[in-house]
Amino acid sequence: MMDTSCFIRPAIEADIDAFFDICLKTANGGRDASALYSDPHLPGYIWSVPYLKFAKDFAFVLVQDDRPVGYVVGVPDTGRFDRDLQTNWWPFVRQQIAGLAPSRPRDADVMERIQNPRSGTGWLQDQYPAHLHINILPGLQASGWGRRMIGTELQALRNHGVGGVHLGVDPNNERAKGFYRHLGFSEFEQDGSVAFAMRIDAGLG
């Protein structure tokens, strides 16, 4: 049953700490990854905060009792976003982690991504130029709000004239894969990566 104490609103700059925290608390296949990173900001540097900084018109938060408990973010043009981050985001992040030595299980992978950013979905971008990320804290996952948040994001992208959207999924996150299949996304695999995509000229409303 959907929790009626929750609502979705546009993200604001003051949500930055919540974006870092929610990303960390869901970065282990939808579960808490706090023990996997020596710096709690590491996952957020990649998968949440740059969207708030550089694509705020497509960033929304799920709020419960005045506290953000989830977010959905997206960009209408993945290639342009990647180029923007290359110039305006990654140099700043590299300064933030300068001197940090990998000491937890996921540190090295994320630090390498920060030094050498990659989208991993270039093969989908011609037909599905937009992409999105969604994360909801474990207590509200499978609550019905995920579908509503995806619908909010897709409508924002559709209003911007976007025709197709994609997203990457942790290959081990079976719940997420089932969620996107249920919403009507098509599944793709290439070189061990799993992605989902949808035409949104006519899709989820």
Side-chain angles (χ1 to χ4, degrees):
M1 184 175 177
M2 187 173 290
D3 187 333
T4 55
S5 70
C6 296
F7 64 93
I8 299 168
R9 64 162 170 79
I12 57 175
E13 188 71 22
D15 293 322
I16 187 169
D17 288 342
F19 269 54
F20 275 122
D21 185 60
I22 293 165
C23 193
L24 178 68
K25 297 290 176 57
T26 56
N28 184 19
R31 299 183 302 277
D32 190 352
S34 297
L36 303 179
Y37 296 98
S38 57
D39 181 336
H41 295 99
L42 284 174
Y45 282 142
I46 297 177
W47 293 297
S48 66
V49 173
Y51 297 85
L52 179 61
K53 293 285 191 181
F54 298 99
K56 193 164 68 172
D57 289 347
F58 303 94
F60 303 91
V61 292
L62 177 65
V63 177
Q64 181 184 49
D65 300 326
D66 296 323
R67 182 176 74 101
V69 292
Y71 60 76
V72 61
V73 294
V75 297
D77 184 332
T78 297
R80 180 178 298 174
F81 180 71
D82 288 345
R83 291 189 294 273
D84 199 9
L85 296 192
Q86 195 71 29
T87 302
N88 300 309
W89 179 243
W90 299 124
F92 162 77
V93 175
R94 290 169 192 141
Q95 289 181 339
Q96 300 306 299
I97 67 168
L100 182 64
S103 61
R104 298 279 181 90
R106 298 275 181 88
D107 285 352
D109 176 65
V110 167
M111 292 170 71
E112 197 276 330
R113 286 172 180 261
I114 290 169
Q115 297 300 332
N116 301 288
R118 58 189 188 276
S119 70
T121 55
W123 46 287
L124 287 172
Q125 290 176 26
D126 284 346
Q127 190 172 0
Y128 309 98
H131 78 269
L132 64 83
H133 292 289
I134 180 173
N135 281 308
I136 301 175
L137 291 176
L140 277 168
Q141 292 171 9
S143 66
W145 280 103
R147 179 185 179 91
R148 185 170 291 188
M149 291 174 74
I150 292 285
T152 299
E153 182 65 49
L154 295 187
Q155 192 59 54
L157 292 169
R158 193 180 292 121
N159 290 346
H160 195 72
V162 174
V165 62
H166 71 275
L167 58 107
V169 173
D170 181 337
N172 300 313
N173 192 338
E174 295 299 331
R175 175 185 287 184
K177 290 192 283 189
F179 172 68
Y180 293 116
R181 291 185 194 115
H182 182 69
L183 293 185
F185 282 79
S186 299
E187 185 172 355
F188 298 87
E189 289 192 38
Q190 181 168 303
D191 300 327
S193 297
V194 176
F196 286 81
M198 176 189 283
R199 295 298 303 174
I200 56 174
D201 322 80
L204 263 184

